[in-house]
Amino acid sequence: MPSSALTKVADRLKLGELMASPLMQLVRENIVTQRKYYGFAISAMVVIALTSALTAYMMEAIVDAMTSYESKLAILMVAFAVAGVFLIKGLATFIQLVCLSRAGNRIVATLQKRMYGKLLKHGVGFYTQNQSSDLLMRITNGAQGARMVTQLVITTAVRDTLMLVGLLAVMFYQQPGLSLITLVIGPLALLGLRKLLTRVKAIMKNQAMSLAEIIKVVQETSRGIQVIKVFSLEDQMTGRMGDAVRQVEKRANSIARLQAATSPMMETLAGFAIAVVVALSAYNTFGAGQMSAGQLMSFITALMMAYEPAKRLSRVRVQIEAQMVMVRMLFEMLEYTEDLVEHPDAKPFAPGDGTVELKDVSFRYRDETRLFDGLSLKFKPGQMTALVGPSGGGKSTILNLIMRLYDPTNGAVLIDGQDLRDVTFESLRQRISFVGQDTFLFSTTVMENIRYSRPGASDIEVFEAAKAANAHQFITELPEGYDTQVGEDGSFLSGGQRQRLAIARAVLRKSEILLLDEATSALDATSEALIREALDRLTEGVTTIVIAHRLSTVLGADQIYVLADGRVQECGTSDELLRQDGMFKTLFDQQFGGFKQAMDM
C-alpha cells in the first residue's frame, strides 16, 4: 500500500516530465562528476531516513516505559537508545550538509569554467549579438541554478522519499486503518500545484531579463559616468535602475507567494489528518481504541514527522521549475553553435616571410548585409601597407579576417600561401600582433599588461618594448613604475598612455605581421611623431597593415589602398595617389587644406 500511494504522489507531481532533458542531462552529469561527495551524502541521507523512522517507532517504547515505572533499567535503556539514535542522525546530517555543499560548490565552479571556455571559443560576431550583461547573468545565476536543481533532485529522491516511506511503514505497522485515512487526505494538497507551475515558469523567465537589465545599467554607469555627468543623465539612469529593481522585487514577491502557498496547504491538511486520528481513536474506529498509549503516540509522531518530507515533496516541482529557467538559459549558451571552429586536421603554420593575401574574398554579416564581393588584396612582407577611406568601407573587417575573427563567405585569406582555415588558431595568433583603436588594458599592473603578449618575456625585454613604443618615460614617472595598477580597462591612465602600452604589448610579441587599427588616434602631436619614428623601425622586416583616418600617419607607407563601399577605389604610394586627383587627394585636401608642403611632414 505505501508503494502504490507513493506512485500516485509521483504521478501527481509528474516527476517523469522533470527527468527530461536538460534536467536529466544536468543531474546525470553532476552525479557522475561529483559521485564521491554525492555518494557520501546519499549514504548519510539513508541513515537520516532510517533514524527518523526509528525515532517515531521508539515513541511506543518511550511512552510505555514512562507510564509503567516497573523497571528503571528499561527506562535507562530507552533513554540511551534515544540518545544514540539522535547522535547518529546528527552526525549523518553533518556529513550530508558538508558533502552537498562541496559538491554544489564544485558544480558551480565547473560550470562557470566550462561556460567561460565556451565564450572564448566564439568569434567576434557572437559578442556583437549578445550583451555582456546577459552573458554575465547566465554564467553566474545559471551555475547557481544548476547547483540548486541537482541538490533538490537528490535530496527529494533520496532523503525525503526514503524518510516518507519509512514513516509510512511505521504508521501502517502501528495502525493500518488510520494510515489509509491519512493517505486519502494527504494527496489533496497536490491538486493546486499544477496551476502554480505555469505561472512560475513565466515569472522566472521575466525575472532573468530584469536581472540582466540591472547588470546592464551598472555596467553602463561604470563605463559611461563621464557622459552621464556631462549630460545630467542621473535622473534618467536612476529611473532605469528603479524600474528594473521594481520588476525584480515584484516578481520575487510573486515567486515567494507561490512557493509559500504550499506550506499552509500542507499544514492545514496535516492538522485535519491528526484531528481525524484523535477523533477516531476515541470511538474505537478501525481498531484505534485497541491501541496502547505508546502505539498511539508512535503513530501520531510518525504522522507529524511525515508532514515535513511530504511538504518538501509537494514544493519540489515549483522550486525546480523556478531554477530550471536559469539552467535552460545556461544550456542554451553552452549549446550555442560556434561561429569559428578549428579544422579537425589543422596544422601549424609553415615558416614564411609574412605575405598576406585576400583572394577573391566575399563577406556577409549574419544579417546578410554584404560588405565584400570578390575582393582581392596583397600585403607584401617587410612593408607598411595602409588602408584608408570613409567609415564603413570594410577596413577593420579586413583586419578581423586576417586575424580569423571572422571567416569569409567565399574566397580565402592566405598567409604565405596557406589558407587560415587549414592552420591551428595558436600558430596563427603567434604570427600576428594587433593594436586596435579601442585600446583595452587588463585590470593589473603596467608590467603584466605589456607581458600578456609574451608571458615568458623578461623584464628587460618588457622595458625595451616600452622604450620602442615611447612609453618607458611616462611609466617610470608613475607612482610605482612598472608595478603600478592601471585600473579597470586602464582607467587610471590617459588615452595616450593606454595607447602606448597597447603598442608596447604588440612590440613585445615580435610577430611577423603587425596590424594597427587607428593605433595613433589617441595620441597628441608630439607622441604621434614619436610613435611614427618607432613604427619606421618596427616595420623593417615586418608585414605591417595600418588603418588610419589621419593621413599624416601613413603618408610614408609603401602602399596605400583606398577602400569605399567594400572595394578598392585606388592604390599606390601617397605621391602617386595625390597625382591621380582622386578620393585620396580629396581626403588629403580635407585634412591639410590643400597645402602641398604637408607632404614633407
Side-chain angles (χ1 to χ4, degrees):
M1 184 63 68
S3 176
S4 61
L6 287 174
T7 302
K8 186 176 182 181
V9 171
D11 290 338
R12 291 285 189 178
L13 287 172
K14 292 190 176 181
L15 291 177
E17 294 178 5
L18 289 177
M19 302 312 289
S21 182
L23 176 62
M24 192 59 203
Q25 176 186 351
L26 173 71
V27 175
R28 184 173 59 248
E29 288 180 358
N30 289 336
I31 289 179
V32 171
T33 57
Q34 307 304 319
R35 56 185 175 274
K36 173 184 174 182
Y37 290 122
Y38 281 133
F40 284 119
I42 290 173
S43 299
M45 291 177 196
V46 172
V47 174
I48 293 171
L50 291 175
T51 53
S52 297
L54 187 58
T55 299
Y57 178 75
M58 290 176 63
M59 288 302 298
E60 178 182 357
I62 293 172
V63 173
D64 290 344
M66 294 298 293
T67 56
S68 65
Y69 298 107
E70 294 179 357
S71 174
K72 293 184 179 180
L73 179 61
I75 296 175
L76 290 176
M77 292 294 293
V78 170
F80 281 120
V82 170
V85 168
F86 276 89
L87 176 61
I88 294 172
K89 185 176 182 180
L91 291 174
T93 302
F94 174 79
I95 294 172
Q96 172 203 315
L97 294 174
V98 171
C99 291
L100 285 179
S101 295
R102 291 192 176 185
N105 293 337
R106 184 67 59 82
I107 288 171
V108 172
T110 301
L111 282 174
Q112 289 180 338
K113 288 189 289 186
R114 181 181 168 191
M115 177 72 168
Y116 184 68
K118 178 72 172 182
L119 292 177
L120 289 179
K121 292 181 180 179
H122 286 294
V124 174
F126 171 83
Y127 292 93
T128 61
Q129 298 174 31
N130 294 276
Q131 297 184 12
S132 60
S133 57
D134 180 61
L135 299 178
L136 182 60
M137 184 266 301
R138 289 172 187 258
I139 199 173
T140 53
N141 293 5
Q144 290 291 344
R147 170 185 180 166
M148 292 297 299
V149 168
T150 305
Q151 187 164 312
L152 279 169
V153 170
I154 290 176
T155 54
T156 299
V158 180
R159 185 195 64 191
D160 294 336
T161 301
L162 289 179
M163 189 180 296
L164 188 58
V165 169
L167 293 169
L168 285 173
V170 172
M171 291 168 58
F172 273 89
Y173 176 79
Q174 297 291 8
Q175 182 47 254
L178 293 180
S179 298
L180 289 173
I181 295 297
T182 59
L183 288 182
V184 170
I185 297 176
L188 294 176
L190 303 174
L191 297 179
L193 290 178
R194 300 180 67 179
K195 295 182 179 180
L196 299 179
L197 294 176
T198 53
R199 293 189 61 192
V200 169
K201 292 179 183 179
I203 291 173
M204 286 304 298
K205 190 170 184 179
N206 291 328
Q207 178 82 327
M209 296 173 61
S210 297
L211 289 172
E213 178 66 17
I214 290 176
I215 297 172
K216 185 199 304 182
V217 172
V218 173
Q219 288 178 326
E220 290 180 352
T221 301
S222 176
R223 297 179 64 89
I225 188 63
Q226 186 178 33
V227 175
I228 292 172
K229 293 291 186 182
V230 170
F231 290 98
S232 301
L233 299 177
E234 290 90 345
D235 291 342
Q236 184 174 334
M237 296 301 293
T238 300
R240 281 182 58 188
M241 176 59 80
D243 290 341
V245 170
R246 279 192 296 273
Q247 291 299 322
V248 170
E249 180 184 14
K250 178 181 177 181
R251 293 182 181 115
N253 289 336
S254 297
I255 289 293
R257 185 171 61 252
L258 291 175
Q259 290 179 340
T262 58
S263 292
M265 236 191 304
M266 291 300 298
E267 289 175 359
T268 302
L269 289 172
F272 285 161
I274 294 172
V276 169
V277 168
V278 172
L280 292 177
S281 66
Y283 291 95
N284 195 25
T285 308
F286 296 105
Q290 299 174 2
M291 288 192 297
S292 68
Q295 288 177 315
L296 180 61
M297 182 58 68
S298 176
F299 175 82
I300 293 178
T301 301
L303 176 59
M304 296 181 69
M305 290 180 66
Y307 154 71
E308 281 299 328
K311 183 175 69 172
R312 289 193 293 266
L313 285 168
S314 70
R315 292 189 306 194
V316 67
R317 182 77 190 274
V318 176
Q319 293 172 325
I320 288 178
E321 285 296 348
Q323 296 297 330
M324 280 303 296
V325 171
M326 295 305 307
V327 173
R328 290 187 184 98
M329 295 178 72
L330 176 69
F331 272 89
E332 283 175 8
M333 197 58 60
L334 289 173
E335 295 168 1
Y336 197 99
T337 303
E338 297 170 17
D339 295 330
L340 298 172
V341 293
E342 191 173 84
H343 194 281
D345 299 323
K347 299 178 180 179
F349 257 115
D353 56 10
T355 301
V356 180
E357 183 178 4
L358 273 68
K359 192 172 183 180
D360 198 27
V361 167
S362 298
F363 180 76
R364 294 175 183 269
Y365 289 106
R366 278 197 171 187
D367 60 1
E368 298 301 318
T369 302
R370 182 184 66 83
L371 186 58
F372 302 132
D373 193 3
L375 178 67
S376 295
L377 292 172
K378 191 168 186 178
F379 305 92
K380 297 180 180 179
Q383 294 187 2
M384 177 189 288
T385 304
L387 302 175
V388 301
S391 299
K395 301 183 294 298
S396 295
T397 302
I398 289 175
L399 297 193
N400 287 331
L401 288 169
I402 294 172
M403 292 184 286
R404 209 193 165 196
L405 301 180
Y406 295 114
D407 274 339
T409 308
N410 293 300
V413 181
L414 311 173
I415 294 181
D416 296 327
Q418 302 166 79
D419 194 322
L420 301 190
R421 291 168 291 199
D422 297 330
V423 299
T424 62
F425 283 123
E426 182 179 0
S427 64
L428 169 62
R429 306 287 158 71
Q430 287 295 328
R431 301 195 67 183
I432 297 175
S433 294
F434 171 74
V435 180
Q437 57 182 330
D438 297 324
T439 304
F440 176 80
L441 297 178
F442 295 92
S443 183
T444 184
T445 64
V446 171
M447 176 72 77
E448 290 304 313
N449 264 287
I450 299 176
R451 187 178 273 142
Y452 268 125
S453 63
R454 191 154 59 91
S458 66
D459 289 355
I460 299 299
E461 290 175 308
V462 173
F463 298 154
E464 292 300 321
K467 290 176 182 177
N470 290 306
H472 181 74
Q473 181 176 349
F474 90 77
I475 294 174
T476 57
E477 294 172 354
L478 294 173
E480 298 180 52
Y482 281 82
D483 293 326
T484 302
Q485 293 283 335
V486 303
E488 185 179 357
D489 198 13
S491 58
F492 298 161
L493 304 176
S494 68
Q497 291 172 333
R498 291 196 299 269
Q499 201 80 330
R500 278 179 278 174
L501 287 188
I503 292 173
R505 186 166 58 196
V507 171
L508 184 65
R509 183 86 165 182
K510 292 184 179 180
S511 300
E512 298 98 330
I513 301 169
L514 178 63
L515 307 179
L516 305 172
D517 186 356
E518 294 286 338
T520 60
S521 61
L523 302 178
D524 55 37
T526 302
S527 297
E528 182 181 347
L530 294 173
I531 290 297
R532 285 170 56 193
E533 292 176 7
L535 290 177
D536 289 339
R537 298 190 300 269
L538 295 172
T539 55
E540 188 174 346
V542 176
T543 304
T544 306
I545 305 174
V546 182
I547 295 176
H549 287 105
R550 294 168 63 175
L551 299 184
S552 60
T553 61
V554 297
L555 290 177
D558 299 289
Q559 179 84 333
I560 299 175
Y561 288 109
V562 182
L563 281 87
D565 300 324
R567 295 187 310 228
V568 177
Q569 305 293 335
E570 301 167 8
C571 65
T573 64
S574 59
D575 288 336
E576 293 170 345
L577 294 175
L578 286 172
R579 285 195 291 270
Q580 291 180 20
D581 198 25
M583 183 177 290
F584 183 84
K585 178 66 163 55
T586 301
L587 294 172
F588 181 86
D589 290 341
Q590 290 174 350
Q591 293 189 23
F592 298 107
F595 291 103
K596 184 72 174 176
Q597 56 266 38
M599 293 178 59
D600 300 326
M601 293 179 61

